Amino acid sequence: MNEKRLKYIFNFSSAFLLVLMLFLSKNAGISCDEVLHYDHSVSVYNYFASHGKDQSALDTPVTNLKYYGQSYDNIVTILIKWFKIGDVYTFRHLMSSFAGWLVILVTALFAVWLTDYKSGILVLFLFAVSPTFMGHSQNNLKDIPFALAYISATFFTLKFLVSGRKHFYINLIFLIASIGFSISIRAGGLLLICYLFLFFIIFSFFKFIKEYKVDIIEIRNKFLWICLIAVISWFLSILLWPYALQSPVKNVIESYRVMAHFPSTFRQIFEGKVEWSDLMQWYYLPKSILITIPLIVLTGFVLFFVFLRIKYNPEKTLLFVLVVFSILFPIVFVVYEKSNLYSSWRQFLFIYPGIVLLASTGYCRLFEYLRNRYLRGGMVVLICMLSLHPLKFMLKNPEFYYLYYNQIVGGLKGAYSNYETDYYYVSQTDASKWLLDYLKKKDNIGKIKVCATYPVEWQFRNHPEIETSYFRYEERSQSDWDYAIVANRYINPFQLRNNIWPPVNAIHVIYADNVPVGAVIERKSKDDYAGYVALTKGNFKDAMDHFEKALKIDNHDAMIFYNFGAATFNNGQYQKADSLLKRGLEINPDFELILMYLGNIARSQQKTDEAISYYQKVIEADKKYFEAYVGISELLMDKDVKKAREILTACLNLNPRYKPAIIALADTYRNSNPDIAKKYYELANSMK
């Protein structure tokens, strides 16, 4: 087929994909990040609308959002405000899908430039059967626009360096815009300026090796242009970024430093266990990528390396090597730096366009290598077969594309309880809609309290009779609510594996590929909450009566057993308290509060080995439960002071400012080395 006809197919396919993606955006749920970033974008808008008087965009001690340029979010919010768009999130989803389509288009054009239109068409197809990317394209206005900036900057960097005077100024403008756009979203976009200088050096060296001469004037001019690109890009990147405007150099660099080691950490499921995001295994990112990219893309990616040296001239090979570098370097860098990673690999979606580009090239090279038409037909059949798994998932789960896992882990069913699924809380949108319909049918009158594992104020904005608030699922018995909306994030994998979640009082469950990802819960009794209130007031007998009634309705809530056990213990019924606490562990064997309480009870009863065992289980369940380290060290201090110090050192390696551990470490030296003990006591006293 000639290039002209292929170009028509390419243009038609691109336009069709745009229409399809915009149409599918109506299925998108509201993600947890969207809520945060939209609220911050409003603060940014208010900053500029008030000419800097409204400083809320600069005061983000909890979310750290001042360090994000998030320019795409800000632009979308400006449009919302200017055009008075009422359905905020529907518009955001349209704009997110448009950004996702631009990513695909730029990658496809990149493939056309490097190879031909066949490769570009295949890029469009491979993206279309990539559920994770397509899912994030629906509601991720941070990672998807950054992916657009990253692939665009890589594309136009290479064009700028090799195209000479041809389209020089067009390439220059797009390159400046791409790098500026990337930094304006995340300070990590500064990496693209480094790429520009690095690639320039590589190309200059390559040209010298090829021609055995150095054109000093050309090198000087290119270098000056690159310096100008860096300066203009930097300037453009801060225009919608209040924090960067305060100090354009210092604050941008500070933002990069903070983003490279993000201060907020999260617990998540990986390989069937719960771990903190900053303590993950080194291969967390590579494996997350490996098990969520469709096999059709992974196969093409491998084929690219098999056929890399076939047909290509040295210059074209160099271009592809630099694309490979743009994919691998960020992965190697964060693995080496032991960066804080969470939510699968969504922060690294920016490398996916490059992966798809190489995958399409791999298939094209295989097609050219196979001369026999039957073998070529077999290759087409193979591509179709590999597409079935992701396509089937997408057709069955139009609202949950991003939950996709490939056959390596047995799909979403195999990943359930072993890896995170609805980490973006997308199911809460559907759950909210269902609950509103349910309440309408019940014709409820009066105030209704709805709690959710992530705020749902927007979904209930037109219903003043419904009061919404946030709660942690495991602490649900300690909050006052009538209905709860719960995504399966932060649910212990033991409970997921043993069907303890969704709970028995769930009146509606949301499934993706027959896996429960969200639930609506109706409270049958508030005795659990009344018992908790009584417990906090020291009314232990009343608390016990309420908990007794609560367990008759819901005996699958470990927190009820914990509070019931605490009330019973404080009422002097030690054996019953022990029994209640251990029943709680049957529901959640890793429940730190119960394990710690049992350890403290054993310690009070001089059962040292038993207490240490419970404290060790606490640490196994949560490496950052620092109180347990101190508990073990205090029990070991008299008989194994060296071991006690090792445990306290491990604690302080995780949290150098944990005052009780510093004091405990000082205590271990009090008799043997008072001078060292004194230094530790002084350090502890210097802390607030």
Side-chain angles (χ1 to χ4, degrees):
M1 192 178 295
N2 62 47
E3 282 292 287
K4 187 175 181 180
R5 187 170 295 178
L6 287 171
K7 185 176 180 180
Y8 284 131
I9 295 173
F10 177 86
N11 291 336
F12 174 79
S13 300
S14 300
F16 175 77
L17 190 58
L18 171 61
V19 173
L20 180 64
M21 290 178 70
L22 293 178
F23 173 76
L24 291 175
S25 71
K26 68 182 180 64
N27 294 321
I30 299 172
S31 75
C32 57
D33 263 14
E34 266 199 286
V35 176
L36 285 175
H37 286 277
Y38 173 64
D39 289 346
H40 185 65
S41 70
V42 172
S43 296
V44 171
Y45 178 84
N46 292 335
Y47 172 86
F48 289 107
S50 67
H51 303 289
K53 292 179 182 178
D54 187 327
Q55 297 275 301
S56 56
L58 301 172
D59 184 22
T60 60
V62 177
T63 63
N64 296 296
L65 287 181
K66 70 178 182 181
Y67 299 110
Y68 287 91
Q70 64 163 67
S71 62
Y72 197 74
D73 275 274
N74 298 338
I75 291 168
V76 172
T77 297
I78 289 170
L79 294 175
I80 288 169
K81 296 294 185 181
W82 282 359
F83 294 101
K84 296 181 172 28
I85 296 170
D87 197 346
V88 168
Y89 286 96
T90 296
F91 182 70
R92 283 175 59 87
H93 298 161
L94 278 169
M95 293 298 290
S96 183
S97 295
F98 180 66
W101 176 77
L102 286 177
V103 174
I104 297 170
L105 179 64
V106 171
T107 309
L109 291 172
F110 199 168
V112 172
W113 181 68
L114 284 170
T115 311
D116 53 30
Y117 275 103
K118 289 195 298 291
S119 182
I121 292 168
L122 195 51
V123 163
L124 298 175
F125 176 75
L126 292 177
F127 268 112
V129 294
S130 297
T132 300
F133 180 86
M134 295 295 279
H136 278 282
S137 290
Q138 294 181 345
N139 58 14
N140 189 335
L141 281 80
K142 176 179 57 177
D143 299 308
I144 294 300
F146 188 78
L148 170 61
Y150 191 82
I151 191 64
S152 298
T154 306
F155 180 23
F156 289 108
T157 293
L158 297 182
K159 289 193 75 175
F160 173 78
L161 292 172
V162 304
S163 297
R165 293 187 177 277
K166 187 179 180 182
H167 306 304
F168 177 82
Y169 290 104
I170 293 175
N171 293 332
L172 181 69
I173 291 169
F174 277 111
L175 178 55
I176 291 171
S178 299
I179 295 177
F181 187 41
S182 69
I183 300 171
S184 75
I185 297 170
R186 280 188 189 156
L190 291 170
L191 191 64
L192 292 167
I193 294 178
C194 300
Y195 284 2
L196 183 56
F197 281 98
L198 175 63
F199 291 2
F200 166 67
I201 294 170
I202 291 172
F203 270 101
S204 298
F205 182 73
F206 176 81
K207 192 170 183 180
F208 169 74
I209 295 295
K210 183 179 178 183
E211 300 177 0
Y212 292 103
K213 65 177 182 178
V214 177
D215 189 335
I216 298 296
I217 295 175
E218 182 185 6
I219 290 175
R220 182 200 64 190
N221 291 341
K222 273 266 174 81
F223 179 77
L224 291 175
W225 273 115
I226 289 172
C227 291
L228 186 63
I229 289 168
V231 172
I232 297 175
S233 299
W234 195 302
F235 171 75
L236 292 175
S237 72
I238 67 173
L239 294 180
L240 292 176
W241 187 358
Y243 181 65
L245 287 172
Q246 311 306 305
S247 181
V249 175
K250 179 189 171 192
N251 284 359
V252 172
I253 294 174
E254 173 65 11
S255 295
Y256 173 78
R257 187 193 65 78
V258 172
M259 291 297 101
H261 297 280
F262 195 64
S264 298
T265 59
F266 309 90
R267 298 181 74 188
Q268 53 194 341
I269 302 172
F270 184 68
E271 296 183 335
K273 299 178 181 178
V274 177
E275 188 54 274
W276 286 95
S277 56
D278 59 335
L279 298 176
M280 276 290 170
Q281 294 90 332
W282 69 266
Y283 56 85
Y284 170 78
L285 177 60
K287 185 169 185 180
S288 296
I289 294 172
L290 181 67
I291 62 180
T292 54
I293 291 180
L295 292 186
I296 183 174
V297 176
L298 290 175
T299 302
F301 187 66
V302 172
L303 286 172
F304 166 79
F305 290 97
V306 172
F307 293 98
L308 177 60
R309 293 185 59 83
I310 296 177
K311 184 181 178 181
Y312 290 134
N313 58 45
E315 184 176 280
K316 187 62 70 72
T317 300
L318 176 61
L319 293 174
F320 277 111
V321 167
L322 293 177
V323 173
V324 172
F325 175 85
S326 73
I327 296 168
L328 297 182
F329 177 76
I331 298 175
V332 173
F333 179 78
V334 299
V335 170
Y336 176 77
E337 286 289 307
K338 299 179 181 178
S339 297
N340 175 21
L341 301 173
Y342 53 90
S343 297
S344 190
W345 60 290
R346 67 164 181 79
Q347 299 100 329
F348 286 80
L349 284 171
F350 64 88
I351 67 171
Y352 190 61
I355 293 173
V356 172
L357 170 61
L358 298 185
S360 72
T361 306
Y363 281 117
C364 287
R365 294 289 73 81
L366 174 61
F367 189 81
E368 292 176 6
Y369 181 76
L370 299 173
R371 300 296 182 181
N372 186 291
R373 64 174 182 170
Y374 295 108
L375 290 177
R376 287 185 169 184
M379 174 188 155
V380 173
V381 171
L382 174 66
I383 290 174
C384 292
M385 290 179 63
L386 290 173
S387 302
L388 289 178
H389 190 265
L391 274 174
K392 182 181 177 183
F393 181 86
M394 294 171 78
L395 289 171
K396 286 180 63 178
N397 308 284
E399 298 167 336
F400 300 108
Y401 289 170
Y402 93 102
L403 299 181
Y404 178 77
Y405 283 86
N406 62 32
Q407 297 96 313
I408 293 174
V409 291
L412 182 58
K413 293 178 184 176
Y416 184 67
S417 80
N418 292 310
Y419 302 93
E420 288 294 340
T421 49
D422 193 14
Y423 58 81
Y424 243 11
Y425 298 88
V426 171
S427 62
Q428 291 197 169
T429 301
D430 262 6
S432 299
K433 292 176 182 176
W434 185 91
L435 181 56
L436 282 170
D437 289 339
Y438 176 78
L439 295 175
K440 189 182 295 184
K441 291 174 184 176
K442 286 191 72 173
D443 196 24
N444 278 283
I445 298 174
K447 284 283 185 181
I448 296 172
K449 294 182 179 180
V450 174
C451 274
T453 46
Y454 205 84
V456 290
E457 288 97 334
W458 176 260
Q459 290 89 327
F460 293 92
R461 66 193 181 282
N462 297 322
H463 298 271
E465 75 281 5
I466 298 176
E467 177 188 323
T468 65
S469 58
Y470 161 82
F471 74 168
R472 294 179 66 220
Y473 176 71
E474 68 177 17
E475 296 173 353
R476 62 194 181 278
S477 64
Q478 299 178 174
S479 298
D480 183 13
W481 52 273
D482 302 301
Y483 296 91
I485 294 171
V486 182
N488 69 355
R489 180 80 190 268
Y490 294 119
I491 308 295
N492 188 275
F494 176 86
Q495 296 181 313
L496 297 176
R497 280 192 290 269
N498 291 277
N499 299 317
I500 296 172
W501 191 90
V504 291
N505 54 339
I507 56 175
H508 179 66
V509 179
I510 296 166
Y511 293 91
D513 224 25
N514 298 318
V515 165
V517 295
V520 179
I521 304 169
E522 184 175 20
R523 200 170 204 161
K524 304 299 183 182
S525 164
K526 292 191 178 182
D527 277 304
D528 52 354
Y529 178 64
Y532 171 70
V533 172
L535 175 63
T536 58
K537 293 180 179 179
N539 300 327
F540 304 125
K541 185 65 174 65
D542 288 346
M544 291 168 59
D545 291 340
H546 283 297
F547 288 135
E548 194 81 57
K549 295 175 184 176
L551 287 179
K552 292 178 181 178
I553 295 171
D554 181 6
N555 62 356
H556 284 81
D557 185 340
M559 186 63 79
I560 296 177
F561 283 103
Y562 169 73
N563 286 326
F564 194 179
T568 305
F569 184 84
N570 282 292
N571 199 47
Q573 300 179 42
Y574 306 129
Q575 189 171 351
K576 184 179 180 180
D578 183 77
S579 175
L580 286 166
L581 293 168
K582 288 177 179 175
R583 282 180 64 191
L585 291 180
E586 294 174 8
I587 299 165
N588 182 0
D590 296 328
F591 198 63
E592 304 99 315
L593 291 175
I594 291 180
L595 291 170
M596 195 70 196
Y597 204 106
L598 286 169
N600 291 340
I601 291 174
R603 182 178 179 178
S604 68
Q605 296 172 345
Q606 308 301 315
K607 298 177 181 178
T608 302
D609 291 341
E610 185 178 337
I612 290 175
S613 175
Y614 278 121
Y615 292 150
Q616 287 174 335
K617 289 178 182 178
V618 172
I619 295 171
E620 288 172 10
D622 181 359
K623 290 187 177 69
K624 293 188 179 183
Y625 207 110
F626 304 118
E627 185 183 345
Y629 291 87
V630 175
I632 295 175
S633 70
E634 289 174 344
L635 291 172
L636 290 174
M637 200 175 299
D638 292 333
K639 61 180 182 180
D640 193 346
V641 70
K642 182 180 178 182
K643 182 68 174 176
R645 288 171 185 161
E646 288 176 359
I647 290 168
L648 291 170
T649 301
C651 175
L652 291 170
N653 284 336
L654 294 172
N655 185 357
R657 297 190 61 81
Y658 187 60
K659 191 172 179 178
I662 296 173
I663 294 172
L665 191 57
D667 290 341
T668 66
Y669 288 102
R670 186 170 50 198
N671 296 324
S672 61
N673 198 325
D675 290 337
I676 294 178
K678 181 181 178 182
K679 290 179 181 179
Y680 280 118
Y681 286 132
E682 289 174 350
L683 175 62
N685 291 332
S686 69
M687 295 179 178
K688 294 181 180 179

